Amino acid sequence: MNVDPRNAVDTPFEVHNLVQQARRVHGQQDELGAESSATAHNSEDQASFEQQLNDLDIDDLDSAYPTPPSLCLAANSATATSSSAPGEAASEPGSCPAPSFVSARAQLAATLTGANLEVLRNEIDLAVQQAARWSPASAPSIDRDGVFDDVVRSSYVTLRRFQNQNSDCKPHTDENTSAILHVRNTARDHSSIGDHPERYPIDRARQAGWHMRGKTTTSPFVSLVEDPAKLAVSRDHWARAIANNANALHTYTVPKHSVWTPDDVMSSIALRMNAEDYDNIDADVDLMCSLGRTPTKETERLFLGGNLESYRTGREENPYKRESNE
C-alpha cells in the first residue's frame, strides 16, 4: 500500500515528457478552434488545473512525481497510433491518441496537483471533452470509469481515522499547508532523482518518527491506519483507547505520495545517520530503537499536509467503540 521511492522511479522522469506533451496538445487544440473550446476552458476547475500545470517548473519535478512508464510511452507514441483509415483525420506529429491524453491528464491531476477523487473525476470528464474536439468522429468512446479506476489504483491509498468531529483531522503545525505543497517543496529543496533520503529528508523523517512515538504537539503529520480493527486491539494502550472511545470512523482516499510509513521513516533515518553528527546521533539512535519496539500490526500511516479533510470519502459510527461500563 505504501510508496517505496526506491522502486517508484525506475526511469528518470518520464513525467517531464508527460507535462510537455500535455502542454503541446493544448496548444494544438487551441489551433483547432477557439470557439469550440470555450465551454471546457471556462470551467473554474479546468482553469485551476491549467494554471497549476503551467506554473510547474519542470526542473523542480526531479525528486517528486513518479509516473508509470507505460503511460508516458503511450502518450508519446503518436505516429504509431495515428489513424490511416479513409475519412479519418490523422493525428498531428507529436500529438497523442485521445485515450492516452485522457489517462495522462488524469495521472497529472493525481500526482502533480494532488487532486481528490471528485476533482480527479471532473478532470477526466473535461479531458474527454477536449479530446473529442480533435479525435476522429469514428473513434470509440473513452472508458472514463476505467481511467478513473486505473489512476486511483496506481496513485491513491485508502486509509481510516478514528475521530470525534469532522474537523479532527488537522495537524498541530503547518495546518494550512497542503500535501502537494509539501511534496513540491521537497522537490525544490533536493536535487536527487528518486533517491530515498531525498524523497524522505532526515529532518522530516525525525518529525514523523517522534509523531509515531506520541510526540504530536509540534508535528505536521496526521495519523491514520490501514486496518482499524488492528488498532482496536493494539498492545499500545493509547492507540487502543483512541479506537475504543472515538465516536466515528472516517475513510480517506489520499495520494500515495502524501503518505509516510514506519519503513519510510526508519529507512531515511538509518541511511542518513552520521556518527560525526554529535548533536543528533544519540537522539537518532534512541528514536530508531524506540521505533523498533513499535508494534507493526497497527498499520499506522502518516499523512503529511493540512488538507486531509478534502480527501474524506466516507464516515460511519465507530463499530469498535466500547460503552463506558465495559
Side-chain angles (χ1 to χ4, degrees):
M1 299 290 285
N2 60 301
V3 181
D4 186 343
R6 290 163 294 185
N7 298 326
V9 187
D10 293 327
T11 52
F13 283 102
E14 296 93 344
V15 72
H16 282 229
N17 294 334
L18 193 53
V19 174
Q20 292 168 337
Q21 181 72 44
R23 290 171 174 166
R24 184 163 57 250
V25 169
H26 293 314
Q28 293 170 347
Q29 291 173 349
D30 290 340
E31 293 174 1
L32 290 177
E35 292 183 2
S36 64
S37 66
T39 301
H41 283 281
N42 282 339
S43 162
E44 291 184 3
D45 288 334
Q46 182 69 11
S48 175
F49 182 89
E50 299 293 346
Q51 188 61 50
Q52 291 183 74
L53 185 64
N54 290 331
D55 287 347
L56 289 171
D57 184 345
I58 294 295
D59 293 334
D60 287 341
L61 302 179
D62 284 355
S63 350
Y65 309 107
T67 303
S70 58
L71 177 62
C72 300
L73 291 174
N76 290 303
S77 60
T79 54
T81 55
S82 297
S83 170
S84 58
E88 292 185 354
S91 298
E92 293 291 334
S95 68
C96 62
S100 295
F101 168 71
V102 174
S103 294
R105 289 288 301 219
Q107 192 71 47
L108 286 171
T111 58
L112 295 183
T113 71
N116 61 34
L117 296 192
E118 180 181 359
V119 173
L120 174 64
R121 191 174 287 282
N122 187 55
E123 173 56 32
I124 292 172
D125 290 341
L126 291 169
V128 169
Q129 293 173 27
Q130 290 179 323
R133 300 201 312 273
W134 49 269
S135 296
S138 59
S141 61
I142 296 173
D143 182 4
R144 303 183 189 202
D145 290 338
V147 172
F148 178 83
D149 291 342
D150 286 345
V151 173
V152 171
R153 184 165 47 250
S154 66
S155 300
Y156 292 81
V157 59
T158 297
L159 301 171
R160 317 294 289 278
R161 177 172 169 81
F162 291 97
Q163 297 178 205
N164 288 321
Q165 305 293 331
N166 286 349
S167 58
D168 291 343
C169 57
K170 285 282 190 181
H172 288 287
T173 62
D174 294 346
E175 65 176 42
N176 295 320
T177 303
S178 69
I180 193 64
L181 186 57
H182 276 302
V183 175
R184 287 180 183 171
N185 287 342
T186 299
R188 293 185 180 100
D189 291 342
H190 303 278
S191 60
S192 173
I193 300 180
D195 185 52
H196 190 266
E198 301 299 344
R199 291 179 56 81
Y200 298 91
I202 183 65
D203 290 341
R204 192 70 80 186
R206 288 170 179 147
Q207 288 180 313
W210 288 118
H211 181 109
M212 291 179 176
R213 297 309 299 149
K215 296 182 179 181
T216 63
T217 55
T218 59
S219 173
F221 293 92
V222 180
S223 292
L224 304 98
V225 292
E226 288 186 354
D227 188 346
K230 293 180 178 178
L231 195 70
V233 294
S234 171
R235 291 190 287 110
D236 184 327
H237 71 281
W238 289 110
R240 190 171 63 252
I242 292 173
N244 293 158
N245 291 282
N247 293 329
L249 181 61
H250 292 242
T251 301
Y252 297 91
T253 305
V254 302
K256 288 182 177 180
H257 56 235
S258 65
V259 175
W260 289 53
T261 72
D263 286 344
D264 297 330
V265 175
M266 295 184 70
S267 295
S268 289
I269 296 175
L271 288 168
R272 279 297 186 86
M273 286 173 59
N274 187 343
E276 297 180 357
D277 184 1
Y278 301 109
D279 293 333
N280 293 299
I281 185 64
D282 289 341
D284 287 343
V285 171
D286 290 344
L287 178 55
M288 289 288 287
C289 292
S290 182
L291 287 172
R293 295 192 298 270
T294 302
T296 57
K297 68 178 183 180
E298 281 80 353
T299 63
E300 181 177 13
R301 301 290 180 259
L302 299 184
F303 176 84
L304 178 58
N307 60 327
L308 180 58
E309 190 167 8
S310 67
Y311 297 103
R312 184 182 292 120
T313 52
R315 179 191 182 281
E316 62 180 301
E317 295 301 312
N318 181 8
Y320 307 100
K321 185 174 183 178
R322 294 183 178 179
E323 298 299 330
S324 57
N325 59 353
E326 289 188 21

